[in-house]
């Protein structure tokens, strides 16, 4: 056993977990860890605010399937992580967040830059730790990676006081992790699977609602086998977009208050709803009464999600990939795809001389043929993207679905590009969201991250503006973003190439310029404030 | 309706706040929560009394199960469990009322654990109804203070809830 400091041991465990990249900002309470990092091969990306560090780790995790790691100092550094941690929790993204803490003898005394970060993040971390015993650091870090990346994935935070980081320990990595209270159940119950098969075969109008869990478990192929064999139309939640290709003949679109008409119509007409890896939150389902007259099969690795929002007839706790494989072994062939009629009613979008966001998004889809990773921010552009982009592969549409965090898109794109440098990464954003974390342009410049940013600029907080237009009879308050900067000059200040698109005739040319540009690029699309979310 | 949950948790600092926090943020009401270390010093047992319907108890159980520190949860059937609560009741007592209070205490098989010129402090253990009944009787003398532990419960017979027998999980 080698002797080393806790800080050094932390770096050694990260290496043993295969960590290649960390996003963060140093501070006085975390400097021993940073000093130990100096001697390692782990790349550190210096962000401009800690919130971006979590989002970048999230983008990295969601594109690679690995655990994303971010680091911050105590106090404000740690609290700046909170929004990103909550975002990762809601979307089940595996993150390990490491925070420095004040000297253990000073904890609880409200000293400089002290905050109870484990207390603050307990409601929205999968688990968290405050390390008081230096000997526990190795085991805790191993546990953190295990907890973050198994079962329903999620963020884990480890708070390490500075004096603990500097203490010497005997370094030995435990071979096995055994946490008595944590035994994720991956295999579905055979009897429930049998009941599910019977229910599917006996239904007349089954519908699959595919959520983010399908993507997280890598169950897309199994899902396609099931729906093609049983000819079941698929609707998805925002998080489930990409779980099957959006041009699949059985895919009807996203459900919910901002969903597609044909998807919601199919849901209303179904006699059996097969929910896979989704929690059916209010935005997805709205009125839960619509499920009153249908049978529901709910497959989820998190038992707490089953029956939480809607009553379930056949609950199946397990990993979506495993459960679907078992169902597929037993399921028969069906002849008719009942939802063809619904699909035929698909709305045709207006085709006029104006430059609409859907024109831009469809041109991006055409130009790239779905060979990209898309990240979005939150707002009208997010819904435009969800409805109009061609998403070919699972895990290539990355968005803040659960918490709806503005500012997520650009940092997530940076993380995604580090995770998948072989892929084109395009961040779709709006002027409201973009300005929440635009300091990350500095990270893009410093690291020369060749991402593309498509910025829909309607000088509004568009989603709320639209709401005020409909619900408050046009009493607009605090939704006009007068004072927006000139985004092209801003991009120039960071050494990023840019272009402004204002007319439809320049559309193809603009996308071509963006596509052929080698480095980072900002395409600002001037958009009417009255462009609706759903045309 | 009231439900009693027996919950085994790892004996770590902060576990109680995680459990209590979970209840408040999910909007569940705890009637009582009693916690103490078990025969295994690394494990504590919480006895939680929840007021609600089947849906609430199912959700409470599932959400508690999500906590990494929670090892096992069992919903106790009141008919198959011994349930006890401990209360300390400080009641006004003067020369005229003192003997009446002592008589009542004896009937309830409670103990007088402290005496002053103006008060008696009574210790009683039993189920919730028994304690309520004693408090009700003592009210006429003027209750100064009541301290209650909340319910603790254990299954009757040779059944045990241990961390090794996962099939007993509810």
């Amino acid at each position: 056993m080698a002797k080393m400091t806790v800080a050094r041991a932390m770096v050694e465990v990260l290496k043993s977990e295969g960590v290649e990249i960390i996003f963060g900002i140093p501070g006085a309470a975390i400097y021993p860890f940073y000093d130990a990092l100096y001697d390692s091969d782990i790349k550190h990306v210096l962000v401009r605010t800690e919130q971006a560090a979590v989002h970048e780790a999230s983008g990295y995790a969601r594109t690679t399937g690995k655990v994303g790691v971010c680091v911050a100092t105590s106090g404000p550094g740690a609290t700046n992580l909170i929004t990103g941690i909550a975002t990762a929790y809601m979307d089940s993204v595996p993150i390990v967040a490491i925070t420095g803490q004040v000297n253990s003898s000073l904890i609880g005394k409200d000293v400089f830059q002290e905050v109870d970060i484990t207390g603050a993040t307990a409601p929205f971390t999968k688990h968290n730790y405050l390390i008081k015993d230096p000997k526990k650091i190795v085991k805790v870090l191993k546990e953190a990676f295990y907890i973050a990346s198994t079962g329903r994935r999620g963020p884990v935070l480890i708070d390490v006081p500075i004096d603990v980081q500097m203490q010497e320990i005997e370094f030995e990595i435990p071979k096995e992790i055994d946490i008595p209270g944590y035994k994720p159940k991956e295999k579905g119950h055979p009897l429930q699977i049998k009941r599910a098969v019977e229910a599917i075969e006996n239904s007349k109008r089954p519908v699959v609602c595919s959520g983010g869990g399908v993507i997280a478990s890598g169950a897309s192929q199994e899902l396609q086998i099931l729906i093609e064999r049983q000819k079941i139309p698929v609707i998805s939640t925002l998080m489930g977009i990409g779980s099957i290709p959006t041009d699949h003949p059985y895919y009807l679109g996203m459900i919910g208050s901002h969903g597609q008409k044909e998807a919601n119509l199919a849901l209303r007409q179904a006699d059996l709803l097969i929910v896979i890896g989704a929690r059916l939150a209010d935005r997805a389902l709205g009125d839960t009464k619509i499920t009153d007259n249908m049978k529901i099969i709910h497959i989820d690795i998190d038992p707490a999600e089953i029956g939480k929002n809607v009553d379930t007839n056949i609950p199946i706790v397990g990993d979506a990939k495993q459960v679907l494989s078992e169902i597929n072994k037993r399921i028969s062939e069906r002849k008719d795809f009942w939802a063809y009629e619904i699909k035929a009613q698909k709305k045709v979008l207006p085709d006029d001389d104006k430059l609409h966001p859907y024109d831009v998004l469809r041109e991006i889809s055409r130009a790239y043929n779905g060979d990209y990773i898309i990240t979005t921010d939150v707002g009208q552009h997010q819904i435009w993207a969800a409805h109009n982009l061609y998403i070919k592969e699972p895990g290539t549409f990355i968005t803040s679905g659960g918490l709806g965090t503005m500012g997520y898109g650009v940092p997530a794109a940076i993380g995604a590009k580090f995770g998948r440098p072989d892929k084109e990464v395009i961040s779709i954003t709006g002027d409201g969201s973009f300005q929440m974390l635009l300091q990350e342009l500095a990270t893009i410049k410093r690291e020369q991250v060749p991402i593309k940013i498509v910025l829909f600029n309607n000088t509004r907080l568009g989603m709320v503006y639209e709401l005020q237009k409909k619900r408050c009879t046009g009493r607009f308050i605090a939704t006009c973003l007068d004072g927006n900067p000139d985004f092209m000059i801003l991009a120039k200040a960071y050494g990023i190439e840019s272009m402004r698109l204002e007319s439809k005739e320049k559309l193809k040319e603009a996308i071509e310029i963006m596509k052929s540009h080698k480095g980072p690029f900002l395409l600002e699309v001037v958009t009417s404030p009255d462009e609706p979310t759903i045309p | 309706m009231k439900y009693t949950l027996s919950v085994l948790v790892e004996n770590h600092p902060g576990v109680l706040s995680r459990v209590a926090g979970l209840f408040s943020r999910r909007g569940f009401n705890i009637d009582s929560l009693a916690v103490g270390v078990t025969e295994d010093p690394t494990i504590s047992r919480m006895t939680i009394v929840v007021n609600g319907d089947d849906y609430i108890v199912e959700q409470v159980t599932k959400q508690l199960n999500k906590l990494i520190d929670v090892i096992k949860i069992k919903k106790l059937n009141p008919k198959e469990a011994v349930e006890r609560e401990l209360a300390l009741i400080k009641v006004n007592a003067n020369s005229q009322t003192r003997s009446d209070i002592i008589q009542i205490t004896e009937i309830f098989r409670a103990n007088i654990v402290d005496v002053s010129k103006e008060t008696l402090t009574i210790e009683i253990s039993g189920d919730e109804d028994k304690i309520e009944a004693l408090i009700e009787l003592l009210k006429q003398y003027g209750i100064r203070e009541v301290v209650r532990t909340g319910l603790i419960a254990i299954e009757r017979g040779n059944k045990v809830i241990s961390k090794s027998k996962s099939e007993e999980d509810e």
Side-chain angles (χ1 to χ4, degrees), chain B residues 29-49:
Chain B
N29 275 328
I30 306 177
D31 265 26
S32 79
L33 194 160
V35 57
V37 73
T38 64
E39 68 285 357
D40 178 346
T42 64
I43 295 172
S44 292
R45 186 192 297 262
M46 292 184 181
T47 309
I48 305 173
V49 181

Side-chain angles (χ1 to χ4, degrees), chain A residues 122-123 126-128 147 152 179-182 302-304 306-308, chain B residues 10 18 25-26 55 58-59 62-63 65-71 163:
Chain A
K126 195 170 167 187
H127 195 49
N128 64 25
I147 291 168
R152 180 179 180 172
I179 309 166
Y182 181 68
D302 181 357
I306 297 177
K308 187 171 85 178
Chain B
E10 296 215 36
R18 278 180 215 273
R25 76 175 171 272
R26 298 271 173 192
Y55 168 80
E58 189 187 333
Q59 274 298 309
K62 283 175 171 175
Q63 296 294 343
N65 252 323
K66 281 178 77 164
L67 298 179
I68 307 289
D69 292 323
V70 171
I71 301 166
K163 76 173 186 182

Side-chain angles (χ1 to χ4, degrees), chain A residues 110-421:
Chain A
D110 295 337
V111 295
F112 178 67
Q113 292 200 330
E114 185 201 351
V115 76
D116 172 15
I117 195 64
T118 47
T121 57
F124 43 82
T125 42
K126 195 170 167 187
H127 195 49
N128 64 25
Y129 301 86
L130 167 63
I131 308 291
K132 286 186 171 167
D133 179 355
K135 290 197 284 295
K136 287 193 174 160
I137 187 71
V138 176
K139 181 171 168 276
V140 162
L141 256 174
K142 290 286 286 183
E143 279 183 9
F145 275 85
Y146 176 64
I147 291 168
S149 60
T150 53
R152 180 179 180 172
R153 298 187 283 179
V156 178
L157 180 137
I158 304 167
D159 197 26
V160 194
I162 184 167
D163 55 316
V164 172
Q165 291 172 50
M166 291 189 283
Q167 291 196 39
E168 273 217 332
I169 54 165
E170 301 275 2
F171 179 75
E172 189 178 19
I173 295 182
K175 287 193 179 84
E176 280 182 19
I177 297 292
D178 179 38
I179 309 166
Y182 181 68
K183 310 278 180 215
K185 192 171 173 241
E186 301 210 324
K187 276 191 168 181
H189 194 284
L191 189 66
Q192 293 298 80
I193 286 170
K194 188 169 167 264
R195 287 179 65 203
V197 169
E198 283 167 10
I200 295 168
E201 287 176 342
N202 293 331
S203 67
K204 291 198 169 75
R205 297 179 309 280
V207 165
V208 163
C209 176
S210 174
V214 173
I215 297 167
S217 83
S220 298
Q221 206 184 340
E222 287 72 14
L223 176 62
Q224 279 198 54
I225 292 170
L226 172 69
I227 59 151
E228 284 169 13
R229 206 174 284 169
Q230 269 287 314
K231 304 202 169 34
I232 308 173
V234 180
I235 55 181
S236 80
T237 63
L238 184 57
M239 288 297 293
I241 290 177
S243 52
I244 70 164
T246 53
D247 67 342
H248 192 283
Y250 296 171
Y251 182 66
L252 299 180
M254 183 176 85
I255 52 165
S257 51
H258 290 93
Q260 275 131 311
K261 189 182 160 194
E262 48 275 31
N264 284 323
L265 207 58
L267 176 66
R268 283 201 175 81
Q269 294 187 13
D271 63 351
L272 173 72
L273 177 64
I274 309 156
V275 186
I276 313 171
R279 64 170 165 264
L280 295 182
D282 55 329
R283 282 283 170 111
L285 205 58
D287 182 5
T288 53
K289 281 185 183 154
I290 60 172
T291 59
D292 281 355
N293 297 320
M294 61 181 78
K295 257 195 171 174
I296 296 180
I297 301 170
H298 196 160
I299 303 165
D300 207 297
I301 195 148
D302 181 357
E305 288 304 343
I306 297 177
K308 187 171 85 178
N309 296 328
V310 290
D311 283 340
T312 302
N313 304 86
I314 307 172
I316 307 179
V317 179
D319 173 63
K321 190 181 173 80
Q322 290 213 20
V323 172
L324 288 175
S325 314
E326 289 303 315
I327 290 176
N328 288 343
K329 279 182 198 165
R330 294 166 176 81
I331 204 95
S332 62
E333 290 264 352
R334 188 192 289 259
K335 281 183 184 164
D336 305 318
F337 176 72
W338 70 270
Y340 268 130
E341 238 174 72
I342 293 172
K343 194 151 174 107
Q345 293 176 26
K346 204 172 168 72
K347 196 170 179 176
V348 179
L349 292 168
D351 185 15
D352 49 33
D353 294 338
K354 288 182 194 158
L355 177 70
H356 296 287
Y358 51 80
D359 294 323
V360 178
L361 293 158
R362 290 180 176 201
E363 183 55 31
I364 291 171
S365 300
R366 192 201 58 75
Y368 288 87
N369 191 31
D371 292 326
Y372 42 44
I373 290 170
I374 300 288
T375 71
T376 85
D377 256 302
V378 174
Q380 285 184 304
H381 67 274
Q382 182 188 31
I383 306 302
W384 293 328
H387 285 203
N388 295 290
L389 280 173
Y390 170 39
I391 305 298
K392 192 156 70 174
E393 294 168 33
T396 58
F397 184 76
I398 292 172
T399 192
S400 169
L403 197 64
T405 308
M406 291 172 74
Y408 179 75
V410 170
I414 296 171
K417 188 69 186 175
F418 277 115
R420 290 293 303 273

Side-chain angles (χ1 to χ4, degrees), chain A residues 32-66:
Chain A
F33 171 78
Y34 268 87
D35 188 51
L37 201 61
Y38 186 88
D39 297 320
S40 83
D41 295 334
I42 298 173
K43 179 177 174 60
H44 180 269
V45 177
L46 176 64
V47 296
R48 290 301 194 264
T49 175
E50 290 84 355
Q51 187 183 160
V54 203
H55 293 335
E56 287 172 33
S58 165
Y60 175 84
R62 288 176 65 168
T63 47
T64 59
K66 296 179 189 171

